[in-house]
Amino acid sequence: MQALVEMLEIENGIAGLVLDPARCLGLSEAKPTSDLPKLSTSLSVYEGFKVVVQGLANMTDGAPWPWKAIPQTVLQFVSMTERALSQPQKVQDLTDKISSRIALLLDVCRRKGCSNEELDAYVESFIADVQRVIIRLRIIERVHSAKAFLLTDHIDELITGEATKMENALHELQVRFAVHTAYTVESVAAGVAVIQSVTNKTLAMTTTIASTVESTAVTVDATHVMVTEMHAKAVRGDGKQTAHITNRARLPARPSCFKGRMIQLSALVKLVCESLNVRVAIMGPGGMGKTSLAKAILHDKEVVNVVQDNRFFLSVEDVIDIESAARRLAEQLGVGETSDPQSAAISALQALTRSLLVIDNLETLWFSNNAAAQKDTERFLQRLADVPFLTLIVTSRGSVTPSGIEWTNDQSAELEAISLDAARETYEQIAGRPSLETELAALDQLLTGVDCMPLAVTLLAQLARQKNSPSQLLQRWHHSKTTFIRAGGDHRDSSVNVSIQISLDLLSAMTGGTEGGQLLSICAHLPDGLRLSVFAQLVTYFSDIHAARDLLVTFALVSVGSNDELRMLSPVRHFVLNRLPMTAGHLAALRKIYFAIAASGPLRLDEKFSQLAKNVAPEYNNLTSFLLHLIGTEEPSQELYDAVYRVSEYSYYTIPSPTLREAFRLRLATHPAWLAGCLIDLGRTRLKRSEYSLAMDNFQAARKLYATLDNKTSEAQCRRFLGQCLRMQGLSEDAERELHAARVTFVELGREVDAAKCARELGNIYRMRGENEQAIYHLTSARDTFKGHGKRMTICLQQNPNFNPPCQS
């Protein structure tokens, strides 16, 4: 904390001016804060820290987002941790890491100026990390009584884990921005020599972490810097980041035909406008009009007046896991790329005075067969529900609302069908009013037969526009209805399904074939839409794909998206996936196209990453969905293994997701070599997600397989990764043992670079323990090896053995 005090030049309770206002985008000059208590050793860590943070608030008065949010966020943290004093030393450790991170951010700002988009992203990441601690503490506090809150073991576990994460983020920031000082590998040699001349006794007597820390040298890891910059540009498209955006353009259009829902709409609009922290669930079977009602709320004039532009619509039908959904939400909120999109999105919403978020088609994630994925979804919903001033609306199939949330409309969440009059108005708005009385009577029978479900009515009205009278449609309805009832379908679902089937039958009759249905089947496997680039490659597999597309649009079975992609409503998509499989030829065509897209993606962070990422990014959701389909229906093959590997590696370097590899792992029991490779890559993904326990399980399983396969190199790699997992959990002795064993094996096998990586990790461990002599030996050895192989590494050698950030490659 003292480093931060000196950074702010706090003396007698007054924060001096440190940052140059001309370089810092409006950071105001510091104003005297004589009312602050004098900082002294008599103050508690919390009182002293408050003085520091209030001094920071003094500096950032009038500063732009995200700088102005730092002091308020940290003061919230202090308030929460004051109630967790059963663990004073651990709380102080975490507080020290937070103060060190703020000090480093301010130091970078002072050197480079705050007009730096990448630095802003690190600031937002810091705010999100602190908010995550606050939220988790609030959850523990609510679960336990006040007394139990002071004593619970959850506090110990939480603060230890968060301190590790905060330390890692500090190291990443230090490595990232220290490179601009341009110290070379050779300049570190002088620093090493200086430290080696100091006796171990002198090193042991150096000041604690609160002392001012100055690096004697920093080595440039040029490759790491370059690929990090390329990665940041790739995920943002052109490298530009906008802190404040207008979300209006991202909202879906208001429903063009919206009948029979005015009572529900008025009631929900009143809730949204007159109450805070509203939680609304719109439930019901597919085709009931849940999405239309949610869109109508978004565009209601009263809602717009209250919420303004802070209205967001998140469709999760085409996402594969909650991390992907959170990343999409974070992008809408103007948050840059982050390794923790959930916390980043939560923090961005907390910064808004009033907001409205609609999550559409929640059943895609919530009804997952994966129990862990379902729990992850519920936890994220609960985090959203805890955001002050946020109105949360979800739409989902079914009648049971997600648990763990107090839904404002719990007793009226499930939508009922619209009235016969409203159904007739909907039909007539699309197809016109029948002129004959007999047709009017047939129309009423038809609408009653489909239970007046909005989607079924809309589909039938579109068919009527193609010169199909109500009596003709009624006849087809009776025939198809009998088939569905015999198949044992749900009564209400069958109303929509029969309407879709009638549309497909008429489509087939009009085209004299099945091309429309086959194109529809292809679209159903691409939840993010059939894009023009893929559509163009399918032309040769159809006699007239353009005519098939036009008819699908005419029959309202697909719609054209903002980028001219073909999209499907969720009920239509589910029906087609279950009842209309692709032909072998079209499946092979789609397989060829998407395997080629996967093969064009990046494998590593290098100078080509930005360009190669553009090949995969637009099709990532479609690729994942299609590959999951193939994993479930095909025998494993080298082609499929390669495609899964490529897409998963792209995900690893953007938002790490274990979904594909976890699904593929379950199919590889009879392929030990592929299974071992899948497990080690799955472990890498979970290591990057800080899921250390799961990562260790994967690495240990892979290690056993590699042992049976007599693959000593890969077995040693598993031990190296295990060492990293153990080090990140603070188990330095166990980590040291694994890394040492892995290094010995690599040396025996002549793999010098891999041995150097182990030496670097060991050096990090020794430096963190203050064993500088061992640290210097291992880090110098690693440096020399990397230098000899044309690589470079970062060696941060400090005079203070208690403040030695680990080197990272």
Side-chain angles (χ1 to χ4, degrees):
M1 184 174 67
Q2 189 63 31
L4 181 55
V5 173
E6 295 180 8
M7 175 71 69
L8 298 178
E9 298 180 3
I10 291 181
E11 184 176 357
N12 297 326
I14 299 176
L17 178 64
V18 176
L19 302 184
D20 181 355
R23 299 179 61 201
C24 299
L25 281 185
L27 287 173
S28 66
E29 292 189 6
K31 294 175 288 188
T33 54
S34 56
D35 57 322
L36 295 179
K38 184 175 181 179
L39 183 62
S40 69
T41 56
S42 64
L43 290 176
S44 72
V45 64
Y46 302 103
E47 293 170 330
F49 197 50
K50 283 181 181 178
V51 173
V52 174
V53 178
Q54 286 166 351
L56 180 61
N58 185 29
M59 291 175 56
T60 56
D61 182 27
W65 171 267
W67 292 90
K68 66 190 304 179
I70 292 177
Q72 293 90 339
T73 303
V74 176
L75 285 173
Q76 288 180 38
F77 160 77
V78 173
S79 176
M80 287 299 299
T81 52
E82 280 179 324
R83 301 202 290 274
L85 285 178
S86 62
Q87 308 288 348
Q89 184 57 49
K90 291 185 180 296
V91 172
Q92 182 169 351
D93 290 344
L94 179 56
T95 304
D96 284 339
K97 289 178 173 60
I98 289 176
S99 67
S100 297
R101 196 165 164 190
I102 297 174
L104 185 55
L105 285 167
L106 294 176
D107 180 58
V108 175
C109 182
R110 181 173 57 182
R111 289 189 289 109
K112 297 182 62 60
C114 293
S115 182
N116 186 310
E117 293 175 349
E118 187 176 6
L119 182 56
D120 282 353
Y122 276 99
V123 175
E124 293 183 23
S125 174
F126 166 74
I127 293 170
D129 289 345
V130 178
Q131 285 285 3
R132 182 179 64 244
V133 179
I134 295 169
I135 291 169
R136 293 181 66 189
L137 284 171
R138 284 175 179 168
I139 292 172
I140 294 174
E141 186 178 27
R142 291 177 183 179
V143 171
H144 300 271
S145 66
K147 182 177 180 181
F149 178 65
L150 298 177
L151 302 174
T152 176
D153 291 339
H154 291 294
I155 296 292
D156 187 9
E157 179 183 353
L158 185 154
I159 292 179
T160 301
E162 293 297 336
T164 301
K165 293 178 182 178
M166 199 68 66
E167 184 178 34
N168 294 338
L170 176 68
H171 300 158
E172 179 185 351
L173 179 65
Q174 190 169 36
V175 170
R176 174 63 190 93
F177 285 100
V179 298
H180 296 291
T181 58
Y183 292 123
T184 63
V185 172
E186 289 73 18
S187 69
V188 174
V192 173
V194 170
I195 293 181
Q196 287 174 328
S197 67
V198 182
T199 65
N200 290 334
K201 180 178 179 181
T202 302
L203 289 172
M205 295 173 62
T206 54
T207 57
T208 64
I209 191 170
S211 302
T212 304
V213 179
E214 294 183 355
S215 301
T216 60
V218 180
T219 304
V220 180
D221 185 349
T223 303
H224 177 75
V225 176
M226 173 186 63
V227 299
T228 301
E229 292 175 346
M230 298 300 288
H231 175 213
K233 291 180 179 179
V235 296
R236 290 197 294 264
D238 60 357
K240 297 180 180 179
Q241 180 179 341
T242 304
H244 302 284
I245 62 171
T246 298
N247 188 57
R248 191 180 305 152
R250 293 174 179 252
L251 294 178
R254 66 176 71 246
S256 58
C257 185
F258 188 69
K259 306 291 184 181
R261 295 287 186 211
M262 295 311 298
I263 294 177
Q264 294 97 325
L265 177 63
S266 298
L268 292 176
V269 166
K270 184 177 180 181
L271 272 178
V272 171
C273 295
E274 297 181 2
S275 306
L276 297 176
N277 301 100
V278 176
R279 310 290 177 248
V280 172
I282 304 176
M283 311 296 292
M288 192 60 80
K290 302 180 294 295
T291 300
S292 293
L293 178 57
K295 290 178 181 177
I297 296 171
L298 272 176
H299 289 284
D300 183 87
K301 291 182 179 179
E302 292 184 44
V303 173
V304 173
N305 288 335
V306 171
V307 186
Q308 301 295 320
D309 284 340
N310 295 333
R311 293 168 290 134
F312 305 93
F313 184 88
L314 177 66
S315 175
V316 297
E317 181 188 3
D318 57 336
V319 300
I320 58 172
D321 53 35
I322 198 63
E323 288 296 310
S324 299
R327 176 172 66 172
R328 181 173 295 181
L329 176 59
E331 289 172 353
Q332 288 193 32
L333 291 163
V335 178
E337 194 67 24
T338 170
S339 60
D340 188 358
Q342 291 191 38
S343 295
I346 294 293
S347 296
L349 287 169
Q350 288 173 329
L352 301 176
T353 55
R354 189 77 183 269
S355 57
L356 168 61
L357 170 63
V358 172
I359 302 180
D360 193 38
N361 293 122
L362 179 65
E363 72 276 355
T364 305
L365 296 174
W366 188 42
F367 291 167
S368 171
N369 292 327
N370 186 323
Q374 189 176 40
K375 286 293 183 183
D376 288 343
T377 301
E378 290 182 351
R379 277 193 291 266
F380 185 51
L381 283 177
Q382 289 164 7
R383 293 182 68 183
L384 288 171
D386 285 336
V387 175
F389 311 118
L390 169 68
T391 292
L392 176 64
I393 299 177
V394 302
T395 73
S396 178
R397 290 190 174 202
S399 58
V400 180
T401 54
S403 60
I405 298 175
E406 186 176 343
W407 297 100
T408 311
N409 68 328
D410 195 42
Q411 301 302 316
S412 57
E414 187 174 8
L415 280 188
E416 299 292 338
I418 59 178
S419 67
L420 178 59
D421 288 341
R424 193 184 299 115
E425 289 178 20
T426 301
Y427 179 95
E428 292 177 358
Q429 180 177 332
I430 297 170
R433 180 181 177 85
S435 57
L436 299 177
E437 289 294 328
T438 54
E439 293 299 329
L440 284 171
L443 175 59
D444 284 352
Q445 291 183 53
L446 181 63
L447 298 177
T448 302
V450 298
D451 299 315
C452 296
M453 293 186 68
L455 179 57
V457 173
T458 299
L459 291 173
L460 292 171
Q462 292 290 349
L463 296 178
R465 293 184 63 184
Q466 308 304 314
K467 298 183 179 180
N468 293 289
S469 68
S471 57
Q472 291 173 322
L473 293 173
L474 182 60
Q475 185 177 4
R476 286 184 174 274
W477 165 260
H478 284 306
H479 174 74
S480 298
K481 177 77 171 181
T482 301
T483 303
F484 274 87
I485 291 176
R486 288 174 178 171
D490 179 80
H491 177 67
R492 290 183 298 178
D493 282 344
S494 68
S495 297
V496 174
N497 290 340
V498 169
S499 302
I500 297 172
Q501 187 61 58
I502 292 173
S503 299
L504 292 175
D505 292 341
L506 289 173
L507 181 67
S508 179
M510 291 180 67
T511 59
T514 61
E515 286 205 337
Q518 281 303 301
L519 182 57
L520 195 65
S521 181
I522 290 175
C523 292
H525 283 84
L526 307 175
D528 217 13
L530 175 57
R531 298 179 181 272
L532 285 177
S533 57
V534 177
F535 182 88
Q537 296 180 67
L538 290 170
V539 169
T540 57
Y541 299 93
F542 288 79
S543 60
D544 193 345
I545 194 173
H546 295 89
R549 176 197 59 193
D550 293 343
L551 283 172
L552 292 178
V553 174
T554 299
F555 282 23
L557 293 170
V558 300
S559 59
V560 180
S562 58
N563 294 313
D564 293 327
E565 76 278 11
L566 296 182
R567 291 183 172 273
M568 304 175 69
L569 289 174
S570 178
V572 179
R573 181 168 177 260
H574 284 288
F575 174 88
V576 174
L577 285 174
N578 291 326
R579 299 179 181 273
L580 195 62
M582 276 188 284
T583 64
H586 289 143
L587 179 62
L590 206 61
R591 195 176 187 273
K592 178 180 179 181
I593 292 169
Y594 276 98
F595 277 19
I597 294 173
S600 68
L603 278 177
R604 60 188 62 85
L605 279 172
D606 55 21
E607 70 279 1
K608 298 179 181 178
F609 184 91
S610 178
Q611 187 61 40
L612 296 178
K614 293 177 182 177
N615 300 331
V616 177
E619 290 286 354
Y620 174 71
N621 286 326
N622 286 340
L623 267 167
T624 304
S625 176
F626 185 58
L627 289 176
L628 286 172
H629 169 74
L630 295 180
I631 289 170
T633 58
E634 286 189 4
E635 285 298 315
S637 64
Q638 186 66 55
E639 278 187 317
L640 183 56
Y641 183 93
D642 292 344
V644 169
Y645 180 80
R646 284 272 189 171
V647 177
S648 296
E649 284 301 287
Y650 165 78
S651 170
Y652 176 82
Y653 290 115
T654 52
I655 300 294
S657 171
T659 301
L660 270 177
R661 281 171 167 152
E662 179 60 32
F664 201 36
R665 175 187 70 82
L666 300 175
R667 298 297 307 277
L668 297 176
T670 58
H671 303 273
W674 287 347
L675 177 57
C678 188
L679 282 168
I680 195 171
D681 292 332
L682 191 56
R684 288 171 49 237
T685 300
R686 286 177 166 148
L687 174 58
K688 195 164 187 178
R689 288 164 57 97
S690 301
E691 298 172 352
Y692 302 122
S693 178
L694 291 173
M696 289 183 65
D697 290 343
N698 292 145
F699 291 136
Q700 287 167 347
R703 177 186 168 191
K704 290 179 181 178
L705 281 171
Y706 282 127
T708 62
L709 295 169
D710 197 28
N711 187 332
K712 295 187 182 300
T713 299
S714 296
E715 186 180 357
Q717 293 287 14
C718 291
R719 300 199 74 165
R720 181 170 74 86
F721 286 127
L722 279 169
Q724 289 185 20
C725 287
L726 292 164
R727 180 175 70 83
M728 297 303 289
Q729 296 176 88
L731 303 173
S732 63
E733 292 183 1
D734 293 337
E736 179 184 1
R737 182 178 61 254
E738 293 292 342
L739 289 165
H740 179 73
R743 187 186 184 202
V744 168
T745 301
F746 285 135
V747 170
E748 292 174 351
L749 296 173
R751 298 183 66 89
E752 294 182 353
V753 172
D754 288 325
K757 291 178 181 178
C758 294
R760 179 188 56 200
E761 290 289 332
L762 287 165
N764 291 332
I765 290 173
Y766 294 131
R767 289 192 317 112
M768 295 300 293
R769 295 201 309 224
E771 300 174 17
N772 284 56
E773 185 175 346
Q774 285 278 14
I776 291 169
Y777 170 76
H778 284 87
L779 291 173
T780 304
S781 171
R783 179 200 61 191
D784 293 343
T785 300
F786 286 135
K787 184 178 178 182
H789 283 264
K791 296 180 178 288
R792 311 186 87 172
M793 64 175 289
T794 301
I795 304 181
C796 305
L797 295 170
Q798 259 80 18
Q799 291 176 336
N800 185 349
N802 293 321
F803 190 77
N804 288 323
C807 301
Q808 298 178 358
S809 63

